[in-house]
Amino acid sequence: YIYMTKGESTKEKAHESEEAAMTRFEKDYHEMLKGAGRYILKKRMEEIKELKNEQRSCKNRFRFQCICQTLNRLEREYEALEGLY
């Protein structure tokens, strides 16, 4: 349920819920358009490096597959964001 406080319209509440439903990629995309590209790309590249290190030392096959899927997604998102920069 959406509870409104005094002075808020349903339109404002709907906009807030849309922002909360955005994925991290969508949020970063909007931040890139505002000009925070260098910071976002640096942060994402660090995350990719950390996952690659974790992947090398992982002995659990299921966890290894999860890391591979996440790395694949992050690398595609990174390339898309890099295209904006």
Side-chain angles (χ1 to χ4, degrees), residues 21-35:
M22 285 196 310
T23 63
R24 194 171 125 230
F25 174 73
E26 292 170 329
K27 290 176 185 175
D28 286 350
Y29 178 83
H30 290 293
E31 289 298 316
M32 291 283 287
L33 295 176
K34 292 178 185 175

Side-chain angles (χ1 to χ4, degrees), residues 1 6 9 16 25-26 30-31 33 35-36 39 41 43 45 49 52 55 57 59 70 72-75 77 79 83-84:
Y1 296 101
K6 190 175 181 179
S9 68
E16 286 177 16
F25 174 73
E26 292 170 329
H30 290 293
E31 289 298 316
L33 295 176
Y39 170 74
L41 290 176
K43 181 177 67 170
M45 184 51 77
K49 286 180 182 177
K52 284 183 178 181
Q55 182 185 34
S57 64
K59 295 180 181 178
T70 304
N72 198 5
R73 179 182 53 84
L74 288 175
E75 287 172 344
E77 290 176 357
E79 289 173 9
L84 293 174

Side-chain angles (χ1 to χ4, degrees), residues 57-70:
S57 64
C58 184
K59 295 180 181 178
N60 182 327
R61 185 70 180 160
F62 177 75
R63 177 69 184 138
F64 181 83
Q65 289 176 334
C66 293
I67 293 170
C68 287
Q69 289 177 355
T70 304

